[in-house]
């Protein structure tokens, strides 16, 4: 069965064509600058990368071009081969606790949550409608970033603010990266043959979040009402004192939107180092003696370590710590430093085992009280698996 996993942005469309149950990635690619001029697309197939510039006036045109290319490039021989399309949808509010078959009625309900993710949800939904238009007979499935976190209890998801903000406006912690955390949790539980593990899942990429999971249920997660909360990230501040917003507005004359934008786009590793949000650049700068890069990295690691320690307490002792996403899968330096900062939990990273990238691997030493694993994430595969499961239901 061939399933397309799709992630639509406001001017982009990312896709991966996956064969199931073999889980083989057949092709993948990205359409960029849709509707804003100078559009282009890239399709990767059999180790080759094919790039073309073409005016794409909207997502439906991009989807039509994608279908034509899949046939022209002999990736599929007929559109009938695509049996399902799984869409990443960022926000499902409190209503969507698991993946769902998308109909026009369901899309209208999801649109109720556009206000909670104004940059993402409308774009995700636009992507779904484009596929519905071009492939009207294929099942579309929505997979929500928030859904995995819906098992949190009120004592974890409520903020200590006036209760009516929650009742009237839905102000609460929702959490994000749920599809990634669910995938790595499923992978480690299968690998260790234990579905009841207490897992601290650390998704550390450009965005980052840490989730405490007990027997497949999320107990708590670091991102909040929006993805701005929690650990320090590439360009996001993570947790801050909310009062600084008003203060900075007064000092700089910036609007609340501008300050919020600074917290999302000009903070984190980039804000402190002044160099880059990319941990590879930070590592290079540290090696050449840049003090601000070192400070940024130390803050970054400390905040991750603090949450791991907090979640170890919350879980009453974790069975396993998992590192994933761009930094978690690849940064040997960051993993080593995190290990050193959680030594009080009895964690010991094995230097030789840690010398790895992008593979499922135990990186802690035999004496480590909590084993630490690198588990490569695969949100696209999780989306495809959910889509297949709903089609076969
Ligand atoms: P993601 O958002 O999961 O794609 O992660 C992106 C981040 O992963 C980049 O900003 C890099 O900082 C980081 N990354 C990717 N490869 C490496 C690497 N080889 N070493 C260190 N960091 C890496």
């Amino acid at each position: 069965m061939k399933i397309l996993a799709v992630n639509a942005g406001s001017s982009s469309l990312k896709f991966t064509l996956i064969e199931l149950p073999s889980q083989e990635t057949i092709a993948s690619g990205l359409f960029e600058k849709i509707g804003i001029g100078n559009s282009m697309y890239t399709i990767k197939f059999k180790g080759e990368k094919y790039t073309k510039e073409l005016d794409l006036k909207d997502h439906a045109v991009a989807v039509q071009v994608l279908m034509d290319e899949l046939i022209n490039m002999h990736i599929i021989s007929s559109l009938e081969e695509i049996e399902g399309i799984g869409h990443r949808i960022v926000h499902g509010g409190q209503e969507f606790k698991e993946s769902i078959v998308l109909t026009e009625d369901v899309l209208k309900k999801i649109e109720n949550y556009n206000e909670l993710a104004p940059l993402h949800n409308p774009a995700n939904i636009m992507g779904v409608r484009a596929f519905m238009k071009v492939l009207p007979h294929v099942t579309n499935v929505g997979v929500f970033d928030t859904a995995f976190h819906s098992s949190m209890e009120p004592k974890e998801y409520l903020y200590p603010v006036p209760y009516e903000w929650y009742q009237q406006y839905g102000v609460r912690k929702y959490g994000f990266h749920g599809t990634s955390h669910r995938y790595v949790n499923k992978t480690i539980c299968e690998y260790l043959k234990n579905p009841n593990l207490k897992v601290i899942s650390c998704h550390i990429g450009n965005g980052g979040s840490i989730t405490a999971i007990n027997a497949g249920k999320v107990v708590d997660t670091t991102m909040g009402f929006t993805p701005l909360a929690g650990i320090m990230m590439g360009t996001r501040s993570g947790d801050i004192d909310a009062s600084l917003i008003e203060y900075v507005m007064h000092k700089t004359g910036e609007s609340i939107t501008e300050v919020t934008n600074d917290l999302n786009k000009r903070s984190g590793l980039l804000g402190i180092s002044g160099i880059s949000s990319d941990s590879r650049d930070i590592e290079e700068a540290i090696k050449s003696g840049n003090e601000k890069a070192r400070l940024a990295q130390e803050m970054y690691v400390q905040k991750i370590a603090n949450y791991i320690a907090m979640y170890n307490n919350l879980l009453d002792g974790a069975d396993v710590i998992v590192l994933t996403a761009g930094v978690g899968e690849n940064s040997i330096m960051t993993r080593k430093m995190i290990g050193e900062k959680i030594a009080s939990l009895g964690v010991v990273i094995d230097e030789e085992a840690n010398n790895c990238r992008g593979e499922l691997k135990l990186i802690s030493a035999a004496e480590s009280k909590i084993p630490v694993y690198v588990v490569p994430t695969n949100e696209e595969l999780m989306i495809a698996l959910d889509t297949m499961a709903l089609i076969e239901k």
Side-chain angles (χ1 to χ4, degrees), residues 318-321 339 342-343 345-350 362-373:
D319 295 319
V320 57
I321 297 168
I342 51 173
L345 305 181
V347 168
V348 183
I349 298 294
D350 181 311
L362 177 70
I363 58 163
S364 53
E367 71 267 29
S368 185
K369 262 176 86 180
I370 311 173
V372 182
Y373 283 85

Side-chain angles (χ1 to χ4, degrees), residues 158-334:
L158 285 175
Y159 293 113
V161 295
Y163 194 74
E164 64 268 20
W165 293 2
Y166 166 62
Q167 287 177 306
Q168 292 174 19
Y169 314 125
V171 171
R172 54 161 282 180
K173 178 183 279 196
Y174 290 99
F176 299 88
H177 291 144
T179 308
S180 173
H181 289 297
R182 183 157 60 99
Y183 178 80
V184 297
N185 180 69
K186 170 176 140 51
T187 304
I188 198 67
C189 287
E190 284 171 4
Y191 186 73
L192 298 175
K193 299 186 176 57
N194 181 354
N196 298 316
L197 289 176
K198 293 189 274 185
V199 179
I200 300 177
S201 169
C202 308
H203 177 113
I204 314 170
N206 188 32
S209 66
I210 302 183
T211 298
I213 306 163
N214 187 353
K217 299 253 182 287
V218 171
V219 183
D220 199 2
T221 190
T222 57
M223 281 182 168
F225 178 65
T226 73
L228 182 55
I231 56 174
M232 174 173 162
M233 306 176 215
T235 63
R236 294 191 191 111
S237 62
D239 298 338
I240 51 147
D241 178 345
S243 303
L244 71 80
I245 297 174
E246 187 185 6
Y247 181 79
V248 172
M249 283 171 67
H250 282 309
K251 287 287 177 191
T252 62
E254 284 184 299
S255 68
I256 193 151
T257 308
E258 287 167 328
V259 177
T260 305
N261 194 50
D262 289 343
L263 294 172
N264 275 296
K265 305 242 169 86
R266 301 205 308 124
S267 298
L269 285 174
L270 173 65
I272 296 296
S273 73
I275 296 171
S276 171
S277 61
D278 192 301
S279 88
R280 284 165 291 200
D281 298 337
I282 300 293
E283 286 185 27
E284 282 304 310
I286 292 171
K287 282 180 197 143
S288 54
N290 186 306
E291 280 310 311
K292 274 188 162 169
R294 154 116 356 238
L295 174 64
Q297 175 72 5
E298 280 178 0
M299 288 170 66
Y300 185 73
V301 165
Q302 188 64 59
K303 286 166 200 305
I304 293 167
N306 291 351
Y307 266 112
I308 293 175
M310 192 197 287
Y311 284 173
N312 185 60
N313 182 55
L314 182 68
L315 291 170
D316 205 11
D319 295 319
V320 57
I321 297 168
V322 175
L323 301 169
T324 194
V327 180
E329 292 169 29
N330 297 296
S331 176
I332 295 162
M333 176 200 267
T334 305

Side-chain angles (χ1 to χ4, degrees), residues 27-79:
S28 63
L30 173 66
F31 287 70
E32 292 172 275
K33 300 191 179 171
I34 300 168
I36 55 175
N38 298 323
S39 355
M40 58 178 286
Y41 60 91
T42 304
I43 298 177
K44 285 190 208 161
F45 176 54
K46 286 192 174 159
E48 300 279 321
K49 197 166 151 181
Y50 172 76
T51 303
K52 191 171 173 185
E53 286 178 23
L54 181 72
D55 190 38
L56 303 164
K57 87 171 162 52
D58 58 28
H59 282 68
V61 172
V63 172
Q64 188 58 59
V65 171
L66 170 58
M67 293 307 132
D68 294 345
E69 289 291 13
L70 290 179
I71 303 265
N72 293 341
M73 292 172 76
H74 304 290
I75 297 170
I76 54 174
S77 48
S78 126
L79 294 183

